[in-house]
Structure formats: C-alpha cells, structure tokens
C-alpha cells in the first residue's frame, strides 16, 4: 500500500523535463485520477537549477549512500542530501513509501524506467509501464543491494528513476517532456491499481528489459587525453545490439576500435554529456525478460 509518494525533479539542475513537469503539477494540480494518492512534489536542487548546471559542487544523485549521509562534508550537495534524507527518509527506515526521481539524458535512450530490484513488485511495475508504453525501455540496475546505491530515490522504501532522452542539458524539448509526463503518469496509474489490489500479474505480459553491466571508458593516452570518439555506427543507437567485431570508437587518426566482447551487448548512456569528466563512453547491458 502506497500511503506516501514523492515525485522529484531537478536532482540535476539542467535536466529540465522533470523540473517543468513538477512545476506544472504544482501550479495546475495532478490529474484527478490520482486524487486518492498522497503525492508530494519536490524540486531537489534549486541552486543547480538557478545556475543551469548539473550540480554546484558534487553530484547530488551520488550522495545517498549510508556512508556519505553519515560523513561530514561541507559541499553544498552533501548538505542538501542530508536535508532531503530527513524529508523523504531516513534511508533504511523511510517514512516515504515510494520515491520517483525524474531525469534527462543527452543519450538517445527514449523513455527509460530504471529499477534497482527485479523482485515481484518491480517486475509488475515494469511490465505495467511497458504495456502502457511499448517503446519504453526497462533498465535493471541490481548489481548491488538497493540500500547500497547512492541515488536520491533510495531514500524511499521503494524508489525508481525515470530517464528520458536525448535532450541537451538546459534545453526543454516537447517530445521528451511528453514522454516524461506519460511515464510518470503510467507509474502513478500503477500505484492506484496496486493500492486497489487490481494488479493481476497474469494479465501483464512478460517484457524485455536490460540488466546493467559495466561502464566502458574512452581510450586515453599516457597523459589522460582521449584518443578516440564514439563511432558514428554506435552513436544514438542506445539499447541496440553491439555485436563482437562491430566498431565502437573511431580514433583521431582514422582507425576503428571494435567491440571485443565474446557476445553482443546493449549499450546505453552512449556519449552522455554529463559523464564527460569521467571519460565514460557508454554502459553495457544484457537483454533479459521480466
């Protein structure tokens, strides 16, 4: 039973779809079919929003591990994380049943639901959303236990992320905004049905999903400078199979670097602008069925 739901935008201050959706719902109200739900609406990082940056000092969406929440750190986002943890959490003993955190990516990931557990509840949710949005992607990041993630959404008893792209940082695209709104409403529709005990697992068809693998970095020289860029055959092909021997990078002297895995992988967050300083080129995943 969901007695309290938190919808959050602006965890990253230049990811505008969630920010605008929260503002619109604050101004005009949620659709009436959600009247039975107790939903709070929050803009997480107002300072980053005002500066039109991902974060001011440190990434807010990495601050919510137990260790970081307990540590003394004067960084603005670290202090903010403690305040948000008090509001939604405390993590591990949360007062919030469900936190839905809304993000954008510069990668061509479409509308993607990120779940951190592949248990019965999240499988039902994923299959429900996929039924409503057949073109949506389901990304499973269950490589570690739920409470070990540093994401804001883990301040809730349950938490998921909406990730929609591609959209440039600081830009609001109507098509991306509408996908964001549609997925948020699909999740809230699920919450209504779940509270009313109307979810029938047998009525929800199995769905394709992608389980997170590892990050693949850009090739670097001895000075830490990049020697290659994403190959044009890979660019914008998030969640499409990258087969062994297919090109993934083009070096600056015109040579191709090929995927040398022993099986196909499904790249996503391809050339994500927010990961520039981390030199992350893309993340891998395997295709699974929920």
């Amino acid at each position: 039973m969901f007695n309290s739901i938190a919808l959050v935008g602006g965890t990253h201050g230049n990811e505008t779809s969630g920010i605008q959706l929260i503002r619109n719902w604050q101004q005009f109200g949620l659709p009436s079919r959600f009247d039975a739900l107790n939903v709070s609406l929050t803009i997480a990082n107002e300072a980053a929003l005002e500066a039109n940056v991902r974060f001011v000092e440190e990434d807010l969406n990495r601050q919510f591990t137990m260790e970081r929440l307990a540590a003394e750190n004067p960084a603005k986002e670290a202090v903010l994380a403690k305040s948000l943890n008090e509001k939604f959490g405390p993590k591990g003993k949360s007062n919030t049943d469900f936190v839905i955190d809304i993000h954008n990516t510069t990668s061509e990931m479409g509308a993607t639901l990120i779940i951190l557990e592949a248990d019965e509840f999240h499988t039902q949710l994923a299959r429900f959303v996929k039924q409503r949005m057949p073109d949506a992607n389901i990304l499973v990041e269950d490589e570690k236990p739920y409470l070990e993630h540093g994401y804001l959404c883990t301040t809730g008893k349950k938490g998921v992320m909406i990730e929609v792209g591609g959209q440039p940082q600081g830009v609001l695209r109507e098509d991306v905004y509408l996908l964001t709104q549609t997925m948020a409403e699909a999740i809230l529709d699920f919450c209504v049905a779940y509270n009313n005990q109307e979810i029938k697992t047998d009525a929800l068809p199995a769905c394709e999903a992608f389980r997170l693998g590892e990050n693949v970095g850009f090739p670097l020289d001895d000075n830490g400078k990049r020697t290659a860029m994403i190959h044009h055959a890979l660019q914008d092909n998030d969640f499409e199979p990258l087969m062994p021997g297919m090109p993934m990078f083009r070096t600056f002297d015109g040579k191709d670097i090929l995927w040398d895995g022993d099986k196909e992988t499904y790249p996503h967050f391809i050339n994500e602008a927010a990961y520039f300083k981390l030199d992350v080129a893309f993340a891998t995943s395997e295709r699974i069925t929920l």
Side-chain angles (χ1 to χ4, degrees), residues 50-249:
E50 291 300 319
N52 192 26
V53 294
R54 180 175 172 87
F55 53 83
V56 178
E57 293 184 344
E58 295 182 0
D59 192 333
L60 178 60
N61 207 34
R62 303 296 184 272
Q63 300 297 322
F64 294 91
T65 62
M66 294 296 196
E67 294 77 15
R68 283 182 175 268
L69 289 170
E72 293 297 325
N73 183 349
K76 287 183 172 60
E77 277 80 9
V79 175
L80 176 59
K82 294 178 188 293
S83 174
L84 291 168
N85 186 52
E86 290 178 4
K87 178 176 182 177
F88 299 130
K91 182 169 179 170
K93 299 179 181 179
S94 182
N95 295 310
T96 305
D97 293 315
F98 196 23
V99 176
I100 306 162
D101 192 17
I102 307 173
H103 292 265
N104 289 127
T105 173
T106 63
S107 303
E108 290 292 332
M109 288 172 56
T112 300
L113 172 65
I114 300 177
I115 62 175
L116 306 179
E117 298 176 285
D119 58 7
E120 181 180 9
F121 167 81
H122 291 93
T123 297
Q124 289 177 333
L125 171 61
R127 289 163 65 175
F128 183 96
V129 170
K130 188 74 171 175
Q131 187 177 52
R132 291 290 184 89
M133 302 179 70
D135 292 334
N137 297 301
I138 309 298
L139 180 60
V140 182
E141 295 192 13
D142 62 350
E143 76 281 4
K144 55 187 172 184
Y146 176 73
L147 291 178
E148 291 184 14
H149 287 277
Y151 301 136
L152 183 151
C153 69
T154 62
T155 57
K157 293 175 184 175
K158 299 185 184 301
V160 299
M161 289 177 284
I162 297 172
E163 188 79 61
V164 189
Q167 179 167 274
Q169 295 171 337
V171 171
L172 184 63
R173 288 181 48 143
E174 184 197 18
D175 56 346
V176 173
Y177 172 84
L178 291 175
L179 284 173
T180 304
Q181 180 180 356
T182 300
M183 183 166 279
E185 291 186 4
I187 295 171
L188 292 178
D189 281 330
F190 175 84
C191 293
V192 172
Y194 187 85
N195 281 354
N196 292 334
Q197 298 183 326
E198 295 171 351
I199 297 297
K200 301 292 189 290
T201 301
D202 292 344
L204 296 172
C207 74
E208 175 187 75
F210 300 90
R211 174 164 278 131
L212 177 67
E214 60 185 6
N215 289 333
V216 174
F218 283 97
L220 306 176
D221 64 18
D222 293 340
N223 296 315
K225 302 297 184 183
R226 293 185 188 178
T227 60
M229 53 192 158
I230 295 289
H231 195 279
H232 65 270
L234 176 59
Q235 183 65 52
D236 299 335
N237 284 315
D238 294 75
F239 296 115
E240 295 297 325
L242 177 63
M243 306 298 293
M246 289 177 63
M248 58 178 178
F249 297 115

Side-chain angles (χ1 to χ4, degrees), residues 253-275:
D253 60 355
K255 298 181 179 66
D256 289 348
I257 299 176
L258 310 180
W259 173 244
D260 60 358
D262 58 4
K263 61 180 179 180
E264 78 275 8
T265 190
Y266 294 83
H268 56 282
F269 285 119
I270 298 172
N271 227 359
E272 165 59 53
Y275 301 155

